[in-house]
Amino acid sequence: MGYVIQGETGDWELVIGLEVHAQVTSKSKLFSGAATSFGAEPNTEVSLVDAAMPGMLPVINEYCVEQAIRTGLGLKAQINKTSVFARKNYFYADLPQGYQISQYDQPIVGEGTIILDMKDGSTRTIGIERLHLEQDAGKSLHDQHPQKSFIDLNRAGTALMEIVSKPDMRSPEEAAAYVTKLRSILRYLGTCDGNMAEGSMRCDINVSVRKAGEPYRTRAEIKNVNSIRFMFQAIEYEARRQIDIYEEGGEVVQETRLYDATKGETRSMRSKENAHDYRYFPDPDLLPLVLSDEEIASIKSTLPELPDEKKERFMRDYQLNAYDAGVLVADQESAHFFESVAKGRDPKLAANWVMGDFFGALNRLGKEISDPPVTAANLGALVDLIADNTLSGRLAKEVFELMVETGKAPGDIVEEKGLRQVTDTGAIEASIAEVLAANPDKVAEYRSGKDKLFGFFVGQVMKATAGKANPALVNEILKKQLG
Ligand code: MN
C-alpha cells in the first residue's frame, strides 16, 4: 500500500514538507500604514518605513497579529503568548532594509494539525510545525527596459504568515490535498484570500526520498511554486532526480532549487543557507509581542464553523458520505448553497443535484457560485418536483437545462412545456399493450429466454410517451405483462 517510486534498487518512499507563505488579508502592511491593494501602480503604496528611510521605526499592525492568531486557532495550534520579531539579514535587491523582519526561535504560533480529505473519502492528519509573521519583499521588474531593472516596492512590508508543516506527507496527492485544505481553512477564517495566481499563497516544497523504514535523508527545497499542478510536476521530477543520484552512487546536496514550468524540471538556485548564515537577532526596534488570555479568547469566540466541523455536521445531519460532505464544505458558499437546497428535503437527492448537474453547469459556463446560473430556491423546487413524482430523473435533467437557459422556475417550465411525467397506470398500460402488439416476434424471443430484450421494450414505451412515462412504473408493468 501507499505511494512508492520504483527504482533500480527497489522501492523508494517520498518525504514532503511544505512551507506556505500566505499573505495576510489586511488593508495595511505589517509595520506601516501603507495600503496593500493588488495591481496598484508601482511604488504608490510605499511608506517611508517600507522604503527603509534612515530613522524610520516599524509599528506593529494589531490587525495582522489578530489574523495570525485566528489562523493559529483555525489550525488547532498552540498560540504563544510571547513571541519575538527578529532580523533575518541578507542582501536582496528589492528589500531596502537589508534584512527581513521575521520571527525566529519564538514564533507567534506553535504546533497544530491539518486533516487532509483524500479523494477516496479517507483522511490523513498532517502536523503543523509553526506559523510566524514576517514582511514580504518588493518586486524587481526586468522586462521594462533593455539595460535596467526597475523596483516596485508596493509589496515590500506586506504581512505574510509563513506556515511550516512537519515532513508528514508521502505523495504528491497528499501535498496537493494539504494546500487545498489549508487554503480552504484560510478562506473560511478570512485571513488570506488564497489566490495562488496573484501570489497570495506561495509554496516552498521540501522533498527527500528514502527506503521504507530509513531515517530522513537530505532534502532539497523547491522555491515559490504557485499552482497545485506545478507542485505535482515539481515533486515527481525532484524525487526521480534524487533517486537517480543515489542509485548511481552519489549524494544529494542540501540546496534551494527552482521549478521551471516550461521545461518541467527543477534546477539549482543556490546552496542552502543554514539559519546561522542569516545572523538572526531580536529586532531592537520592536518589543516582544505579548498576548493575554482574554485577547486570545475573544478572537476564538469569533471563529466561524470550520470545514472539518461542518463536514462532520453534514455527515451526521444529512447522512452524507465523507467524500460528498468534503466536497460540499470545501468553500463556505458551496456549503451554504447546499444547505439552502437541502432544507426540508431529501439531503442525498439535494447533494446529488448540487454536486452533479449544478456544479457541472458552473464549470461549463465558467461561473462562480456567487453568481449561480440557477438559484438555490429554484434548484430546491426542482428537487420537490422529483420527490412528488411530477418529474422523473430524466425529465428533471431536461427541465434543469431549461432553467439554466431561461432562469425560469421549474414549475413554470413544466407547465409551459408539458413536461409532467405520466404516472397514470392506465395510460402506461395502454402504451405497453401497443408496443407489445407491434412486436410479437420480440415478445416471443423474450419469453423464450432472451432477457436482454427487456431494455428494448422500455425504450419503445419511453419513445411512445415522449419520455414522460414514469420509468419505475414502466418497468413494473412491463415485467407483469411479459411474465
Ligand atoms: Mn519566509
Side-chain angles (χ1 to χ4, degrees):
M1 61 148 281
Y3 181 94
V4 292
I5 302 172
Q6 282 160 2
E8 303 278 322
T9 58
D11 288 347
W12 293 83
E13 182 181 66
L14 252 173
V15 177
I16 304 165
L18 289 170
E19 295 170 21
V20 174
H21 284 89
Q23 188 182 322
V24 176
T25 299
S26 160
K27 290 202 171 73
S28 51
K29 296 184 181 179
L30 185 53
F31 298 113
S32 83
T36 59
S37 51
F38 178 79
E41 280 293 298
N43 297 309
T44 56
E45 299 184 337
V46 187
S47 75
L48 297 172
V49 174
D50 308 321
M53 288 296 142
M56 293 298 112
L57 289 172
V59 177
I60 185 78
N61 178 340
E62 206 177 317
Y63 183 70
C64 292
V65 172
E66 274 178 41
Q67 291 285 61
I69 297 170
R70 195 169 282 125
T71 305
L73 293 170
L75 298 173
K76 313 277 187 278
Q78 167 76 35
I79 307 298
N80 294 326
K81 283 162 69 185
T82 301
S83 64
V84 172
F85 285 102
R87 291 187 181 178
K88 182 182 184 182
N89 298 281
Y90 63 102
F91 174 78
Y92 217 64
D94 38 29
L95 187 68
Q97 280 168 179
Y99 56 85
Q100 178 190 35
I101 305 177
S102 181
Q103 294 186 307
Y104 178 47
D105 50 3
Q106 290 181 269
I108 186 166
V109 176
E111 293 185 327
T113 50
I114 283 194
I115 296 171
L116 309 187
D117 306 285
M118 305 308 294
K119 285 235 160 68
D120 62 2
S122 67
T123 57
R124 279 267 290 132
T125 302
I126 303 298
I128 299 287
E129 178 69 34
R130 60 186 272 154
L131 174 158
H132 65 254
L133 275 169
E134 63 184 24
Q135 3 167 245
D136 206 348
K139 201 165 83 183
S140 298
L141 309 169
H142 304 295
D143 55 359
Q144 309 285 308
H145 189 280
Q147 279 92 35
K148 295 175 183 166
S149 282
F150 293 162
I151 291 180
D152 176 8
L153 291 179
N154 281 353
R155 216 176 55 192
T158 300
L160 299 176
M161 297 179 284
E162 181 172 332
I163 303 164
V164 182
S165 84
K166 293 185 184 287
D168 288 349
M169 286 157 274
R170 295 289 175 270
S171 68
E173 286 78 12
E174 288 182 0
Y178 174 90
V179 173
T180 305
K181 186 61 174 281
L182 177 60
R183 183 171 53 187
S184 166
I185 293 171
L186 296 175
R187 285 179 171 164
Y188 264 72
L189 292 166
T191 57
C192 169
D193 67 24
N195 191 329
M196 293 181 89
E198 289 181 3
S200 310
M201 243 180 101
R202 312 194 287 270
C203 304
D204 300 342
I205 316 167
N206 286 300
V207 179
S208 65
V209 296
R210 66 174 177 184
K211 294 287 180 64
E214 277 184 354
Y216 295 137
R217 296 194 184 198
T218 307
R219 64 193 156 86
E221 179 180 1
I222 311 165
K223 272 279 173 204
N224 277 336
V225 181
N226 66 355
S227 87
I228 287 177
R229 187 162 61 93
F230 291 160
M231 240 175 68
F232 250 88
Q233 295 167 359
I235 291 170
E236 282 176 341
Y237 177 89
E238 181 57 24
R240 176 50 64 188
R241 186 188 72 86
Q242 293 182 16
I243 291 168
D244 288 348
I245 291 174
Y246 287 128
E247 295 195 327
E248 282 159 20
E251 281 299 318
V252 169
V253 290
Q254 187 179 337
E255 63 182 352
T256 301
R257 300 179 68 85
L258 269 185
Y259 178 66
D260 181 334
T262 20
K263 289 192 180 143
E265 59 187 42
T266 64
R267 62 164 185 271
S268 183
M269 190 162 94
R270 55 173 189 252
S271 66
K272 178 68 184 178
E273 312 80 354
N274 284 304
H276 64 253
D277 294 326
Y278 292 117
R279 305 281 158 124
Y280 279 101
F281 63 87
D283 192 315
D285 290 341
L286 290 156
L287 288 169
L289 189 58
V290 179
L291 309 170
S292 68
D293 289 324
E294 292 72 38
E295 280 173 279
I296 298 169
S298 104
I299 294 170
K300 192 167 194 175
S301 70
T302 66
L303 290 193
E305 182 186 36
L306 289 167
D308 291 330
E309 286 88 60
K310 211 186 266 294
K311 180 180 169 188
E312 218 168 87
R313 179 166 66 80
F314 278 21
M315 289 171 70
R316 187 181 63 234
D317 292 358
Y318 300 119
Q319 309 291 312
L320 298 182
N321 63 40
Y323 176 80
D324 289 0
V327 169
L328 289 169
V329 305
D331 64 85
Q332 279 166 312
E333 292 82 4
S334 299
H336 178 73
F337 189 92
F338 163 72
E339 289 207 88
S340 313
V341 176
K343 198 172 178 198
R345 305 190 172 96
D346 173 2
K348 186 66 200 158
L349 189 58
N352 285 344
W353 275 90
V354 171
M355 293 172 62
D357 293 66
F358 177 75
F359 281 177
L362 280 186
N363 265 337
R364 195 174 68 228
L365 302 169
K367 284 203 163 196
E368 295 293 326
I369 193 150
S370 50
D371 173 31
V374 168
T375 63
N378 277 346
L379 190 55
L382 182 69
V383 171
D384 287 338
L385 293 174
I386 301 166
D388 72 7
N389 269 325
T390 304
L391 293 175
S392 64
R394 187 183 163 282
L395 284 173
K397 280 183 182 294
E398 208 176 317
V399 172
F400 179 81
E401 286 312 317
L402 291 167
M403 289 163 70
V404 171
E405 252 171 57
T406 63
K408 285 185 185 166
D412 296 343
I413 293 172
V414 168
E415 289 315 319
E416 273 171 36
K417 306 262 173 186
L419 288 172
R420 192 176 288 276
Q421 80 171 331
V422 178
T423 50
D424 170 1
T425 321
I428 294 174
E429 276 169 347
S431 260
I432 289 177
E434 270 171 45
V435 167
L436 297 188
N439 298 283
D441 44 338
K442 294 243 165 43
V443 173
E445 278 179 57
Y446 178 84
R447 287 190 172 134
S448 64
K450 210 169 166 195
D451 292 352
K452 277 189 192 148
L453 280 171
F454 192 77
F456 163 80
F457 294 119
V458 173
Q460 291 298 304
V461 175
M462 292 311 279
K463 205 167 143 191
T465 57
K468 287 188 238 165
N470 177 309
L473 279 176
V474 171
N475 273 281
E476 189 189 315
I477 299 170
L478 251 179
K479 267 194 191 123
K480 227 181 278 166
Q481 298 210 359
L482 282 166

